Amino acid sequence: MDERKLKVLGAVVTDYVATREPVGSKALVERHSLGVSSATIRNDMAMLEEEGYLVQPHTSAGRVPTDKGYRLFVDRLATVKPLSAPERRAISSFLSGAVDVDDMVHRTVRLLAQLTRQVAIVQYPVSSSATIRHVEIVGLSSDRLLVILIDSTARIDQYPVTLSEHSEEELSELRKILNSAVGGRKPVDADAALADLLTAPGFDRARFGPIVEAVRTMLANDPSEELVVAGMPNLMRYGASYETAIMPVLDALEEQVVLLRLLGDAVAEHPGEVSVRIGQENPYVPLHGTSLVVSEYGFDEVWASLGVVGPTSMDYPSTISAVRAVARYVGRFLAEG
Amino acid sequence: MDERKLKVLGAVVTDYVATREPVGSKALVERHSLGVSSATIRNDMAMLEEEGYLVQPHTSAGRVPTDKGYRLFVDRLATVKPLSAPERRAISSFLSGAVDVDDMVHRTVRLLAQLTRQVAIVQYPVSSSATIRHVEIVGLSSDRLLVILIDSTARIDQYPVTLSEHSEEELSELRKILNSAVGGRKPVDADAALADLLTAPGFDRARFGPIVEAVRTMLANDPSEELVVAGMPNLMRYGASYETAIMPVLDALEEQVVLLRLLGDAVAEHPGEVSVRIGQENPYVPLHGTSLVVSEYGFDEVWASLGVVGPTSMDYPSTISAVRAVARYVGRFLAEG
DNA sequence: GCTGGCACTCAATAATCCCGAGTGCCAAGC
DNA sequence: GCTTGGCACTCGGGATTATTGAGTGCCAGC
């Protein structure tokens, strides 16, 4: 592809993203030093349109990039736009205040939404090597208990159980049994151990079964299937119409399953780097009008993904670098514990 | 005030809420059986306008209720609109699935947003009689500990602490000390007990001080200052302009302090019932274009508030009864544990 | 292969017209 | 003294038309 044509495409994308209005040949030569006249640019643009990188909303209007155009722009033109020093500081200080993983995820998603001014999504980090650290049983009242599960990544889960007439000794005994059954094990193994325990001779299943089941329920909770979303108000920033642009995104955001698959797919395609899905490249039809910018994050055996959803006419260089930077910082933060 | 004039005001409010368009005398006699002619209605409407209950957006247009008009409507006319059976079932089943307080708050706020199709806000319930139930210390790795605090309402808080070279015996000992210091106590008393503990002879402050401080930090976390918001997308439902209607609400929702005060004020004014703040009655200026419908909820010594924010032209009867119903159901749910 | 020139297109803006919903007022009627 | 039908009047908003100008494609000349 012609050197100048690439430059023209880049200029069209940049201007369109900035103004959100079709850009014409004259405006282009004025705003960019292309060294040729507008007539030449017109010819180039006509060719770019033939090749499917640009379209005219209507005759006698400027050009707008197509998904294909954005794609080429992202692949060949988008130079990484380094974050400003204040932005780096903001990321760093925002995240360093996090007190636990839960807090970190929430801080991250808000940070990302604020940085990119778009809708941000963060998946809970999941450690393939997480092990159960402790099971605790606490009496709340005469017949209500709270069963608590803690894993090596400081994740805590709780589940209420009703059990009449229990003594502190009983609970203490049960606590020991449970901890020796699941302590240090991975969730799957711990679950198997509990299944064995239920049928073990001498175990009072009728009485303590519910507690064991509570633990098994919590073991089955997979944090990697949780995600947090922020920045929905940013959707309104674009004058986009409710029907065509906002509703589909809102719907998609409700469907955690869909989002998880989208994130997973994107990450799988370009592991280790920021991956971009533009408009129709998206496997989920209602989001054909929007783009995803996704990255995985984590360290060692703890990995998950994060990203943003926005209009195809987003500022890719900035968004990509923001997503990348946040992913790196969060990874580093996780590594430091 | 004249019987018929009240009826006219009510009809104007109802029609305006339904259509969002100024309502005229003719449409009024057609849609409501008022038993008089449009000319008479015109006279009544002119008087209502003089008295400040209605306004004309411009000459030769229908009338629109003022804040004062809505106020009279709410105070004197709004008959409680009972919820439909399906709605009751929805509330009941939606809430009964809640597994703990945290879950319940989230379910409640989503339920309320869905029911009223507006932005819902729920404050975390706070029990003035909550007592500390248990302190647990769990080792995560050789130098990382997790300190966990559980109270009688099943609320769990966690805090990470770094402590090199600790033995299981040490921790066990410390656990006993801490639990006997705070167990069964209210947060304030527990905090005092820990303050004493820190200066007690024989306590290795240099070594265990950070753990005690972690507990004290958690004791200071006041859940009543937390709130959850849902239904922001509903803001877009009204064709309201971004600048005048949406931005102020979004801003307000970011300011937890403001929201807490608004909820508190509203509840304080009408304890025990649903209170309504219409437009300019609102002490917070940016929300002068919106109304709040708020109720307290809880049982015994556990109380908090919940409510919705919406345009002044909301459907007050439905909204009020939805808020009331949800508040009652949640209160009942809390009472049942 | 680039450029200036030129005729052409067409969305968006402005200008204009027109309609009818809605009003206020009044005189007549119950 | 209310209520009512009648009537002249107002004026926002929708439809229609005119105007503008940014932008294009094409072409002949450099």
Side-chain angles (χ1 to χ4, degrees):
Chain A
M1 155 106 31
D2 192 324
E3 179 68 25
R4 192 184 58 214
K5 265 160 63 188
L6 276 179
K7 212 169 162 186
V8 170
L9 175 61
V12 172
V13 170
T14 315
D15 280 19
Y16 182 65
V17 166
T19 66
R20 305 208 157 253
E21 286 186 358
V23 8
S25 56
K26 202 175 162 192
L28 224 46
V29 286
E30 277 168 14
R31 293 176 38 101
H32 301 76
S33 40
L34 293 166
V36 291
S37 79
S38 68
T40 310
I41 300 299
R42 276 204 289 286
N43 290 332
D44 289 347
M45 286 168 94
M47 294 181 70
L48 283 168
E49 180 161 13
E50 264 179 38
E51 296 164 40
Y53 297 110
L54 298 178
V55 275
Q56 281 179 285
H58 52 83
T59 339
S60 89
R63 255 85 172 196
V64 166
T66 61
D67 287 356
K68 193 177 168 190
Y70 286 123
R71 167 52 60 198
L72 190 63
F73 175 76
V74 167
D75 287 347
R76 314 244 337 231
L77 295 156
T79 51
V80 192
K81 187 171 170 182
L83 295 184
S84 66
E87 279 174 322
R88 297 187 169 281
R89 267 202 302 280
I91 298 179
S92 183
S93 70
F94 205 78
L95 291 182
S96 64
V99 74
D100 56 35
V101 172
D102 203 68
D103 191 23
M104 186 210 68
V105 169
H106 282 91
R107 278 165 182 264
T108 304
V109 73
R110 274 184 313 194
L111 174 65
L112 203 51
Q114 191 188 321
L115 231 44
T116 62
R117 315 209 106 205
Q118 288 172 38
V119 179
I121 306 167
V122 176
Q123 184 186 13
Y124 265 79
V126 61
S127 169
S128 56
S129 63
T131 54
I132 305 307
R133 213 70 204 186
H134 191 70
V135 177
E136 183 61 39
I137 307 172
V138 179
L140 293 179
S141 65
S142 61
D143 63 342
R144 286 164 52 231
L145 297 176
L146 193 63
V147 186
I148 297 164
L149 188 70
I150 299 144
D151 79 6
S152 56
T153 66
R155 219 178 91 83
I156 296 186
D157 212 348
Q158 58 181 309
Y159 207 92
V161 170
T162 323
L163 182 70
S164 56
E165 300 172 39
H166 53 267
S167 70
E168 195 45 55
E169 290 71 39
E170 269 182 331
L171 295 188
S172 180
E173 178 67 18
L174 185 58
R175 196 179 291 132
K176 265 185 212 151
I177 296 176
L178 286 174
N179 272 303
S180 69
V182 303
R185 294 235 163 91
K186 292 194 176 188
V188 228
D189 304 332
D191 189 61
L194 290 181
D196 289 348
L197 177 61
L198 278 175
T199 56
F203 180 76
D204 187 349
R205 183 167 179 174
R207 198 154 160 63
F208 301 126
I211 295 181
V212 175
E213 287 304 341
V215 178
R216 295 187 70 188
T217 306
M218 289 188 279
L219 284 172
N221 283 348
D222 186 351
S224 76
E225 287 175 4
E226 282 177 44
L227 16 96
V228 191
V229 176
M232 292 218 197
N234 289 336
L235 276 178
M236 297 190 271
R237 214 177 295 280
Y238 310 101
S241 82
Y242 187 67
E243 289 300 323
T244 64
I246 296 181
M247 270 298 284
V249 179
L250 289 180
D251 287 345
L253 294 179
E254 302 262 303
E255 302 273 355
Q256 300 229 335
V257 194
V258 172
L259 280 185
L260 282 168
R261 221 194 69 220
L262 288 176
L263 292 180
D265 283 4
V267 163
E269 198 165 309
H270 301 285
E273 49 182 307
V274 177
S275 81
V276 181
R277 286 287 174 97
I278 299 166
Q280 315 232 348
E281 295 171 8
N282 213 302
Y284 181 65
V285 178
L287 290 187
H288 271 188
T290 57
S291 289
L292 268 77
V293 178
V294 180
S295 170
E296 59 184 342
Y297 73 95
F299 87 110
D300 263 10
E301 294 177 322
V302 188
W303 289 100
S305 50
L306 55 78
V308 303
V309 189
T312 49
S313 60
M314 68 170 67
D315 178 354
Y316 290 99
S318 302
T319 306
I320 291 173
S321 65
V323 168
R324 176 179 332 197
V326 170
R328 284 189 185 160
Y329 272 90
V330 177
R332 200 178 306 164
F333 182 82
L334 278 175
E336 287 169 4
Chain B
M1 156 108 32
D2 192 321
E3 180 68 27
R4 192 185 58 216
K5 266 160 63 189
L6 276 179
K7 212 170 162 185
V8 170
L9 175 61
V12 171
V13 171
T14 315
D15 280 19
Y16 181 64
V17 165
T19 65
R20 306 208 155 255
E21 285 184 0
V23 6
S25 55
K26 202 175 164 192
L28 224 47
V29 285
E30 276 167 15
R31 294 175 38 101
H32 300 77
S33 43
L34 293 166
V36 290
S37 79
S38 66
T40 311
I41 300 301
R42 276 205 288 286
N43 290 332
D44 289 348
M45 286 168 93
M47 293 181 70
L48 283 167
E49 179 161 12
E50 264 179 38
E51 295 164 42
Y53 296 109
L54 299 177
V55 275
Q56 280 180 286
H58 52 85
T59 340
S60 89
R63 255 86 170 193
V64 165
T66 60
D67 288 355
K68 193 177 168 190
Y70 285 122
R71 168 51 60 195
L72 189 63
F73 175 76
V74 168
D75 287 347
R76 313 245 337 232
L77 295 156
T79 51
V80 192
K81 186 172 172 183
L83 294 185
S84 67
E87 279 174 324
R88 294 187 169 281
R89 270 201 301 281
I91 297 179
S92 183
S93 70
F94 204 79
L95 290 182
S96 64
V99 74
D100 57 34
V101 172
D102 202 68
D103 190 24
M104 186 210 67
V105 169
H106 283 91
R107 279 166 181 265
T108 304
V109 73
R110 274 185 313 197
L111 174 67
L112 203 52
Q114 191 188 320
L115 231 46
T116 60
R117 316 209 106 205
Q118 288 172 36
V119 179
I121 306 167
V122 176
Q123 182 186 14
Y124 265 79
V126 60
S127 170
S128 55
S129 65
T131 54
I132 304 308
R133 214 69 206 187
H134 191 70
V135 177
E136 184 60 40
I137 307 173
V138 179
L140 293 179
S141 65
S142 62
D143 63 342
R144 286 165 53 231
L145 297 175
L146 193 63
V147 186
I148 298 164
L149 188 70
I150 300 145
D151 79 7
S152 55
T153 65
R155 218 177 91 84
I156 296 186
D157 211 347
Q158 59 181 310
Y159 207 91
V161 171
T162 322
L163 182 70
S164 55
E165 300 170 39
H166 54 267
S167 69
E168 194 45 55
E169 290 71 40
E170 266 182 335
L171 294 188
S172 180
E173 178 66 18
L174 185 57
R175 196 179 289 131
K176 263 185 213 152
I177 296 175
L178 286 175
N179 272 302
S180 70
V182 303
R185 295 237 163 89
K186 292 194 176 187
V188 228
D189 304 332
D191 191 61
L194 290 181
D196 289 348
L197 177 61
L198 277 175
T199 56
F203 180 75
D204 188 349
R205 183 167 180 177
R207 199 154 158 64
F208 301 125
I211 296 182
V212 175
E213 287 304 340
V215 177
R216 296 187 70 188
T217 305
M218 290 187 279
L219 284 172
N221 283 351
D222 185 351
S224 75
E225 286 176 4
E226 282 177 44
L227 16 97
V228 192
V229 175
M232 292 219 199
N234 289 336
L235 276 179
M236 298 190 272
R237 214 176 296 280
Y238 312 101
S241 81
Y242 187 68
E243 289 300 323
T244 63
I246 297 182
M247 270 298 285
V249 179
L250 289 179
D251 286 346
L253 294 179
E254 302 263 304
E255 302 272 356
Q256 300 229 334
V257 193
V258 172
L259 282 185
L260 283 168
R261 220 195 68 218
L262 288 176
L263 292 179
D265 283 4
V267 163
E269 198 164 310
H270 302 284
E273 49 183 306
V274 177
S275 80
V276 181
R277 286 288 174 97
I278 299 166
Q280 316 233 348
E281 294 171 9
N282 212 302
Y284 181 64
V285 178
L287 290 185
H288 272 189
T290 57
S291 289
L292 267 78
V293 178
V294 179
S295 169
E296 59 184 342
Y297 74 94
F299 87 109
D300 264 11
E301 294 177 324
V302 187
W303 289 101
S305 50
L306 56 77
V308 304
V309 189
T312 48
S313 59
M314 68 169 68
D315 178 353
Y316 290 98
S318 302
T319 306
I320 290 172
S321 64
V323 167
R324 177 181 331 200
V326 170
R328 282 187 186 162
Y329 273 89
V330 177
R332 201 177 307 164
F333 181 83
L334 278 175
E336 286 169 6

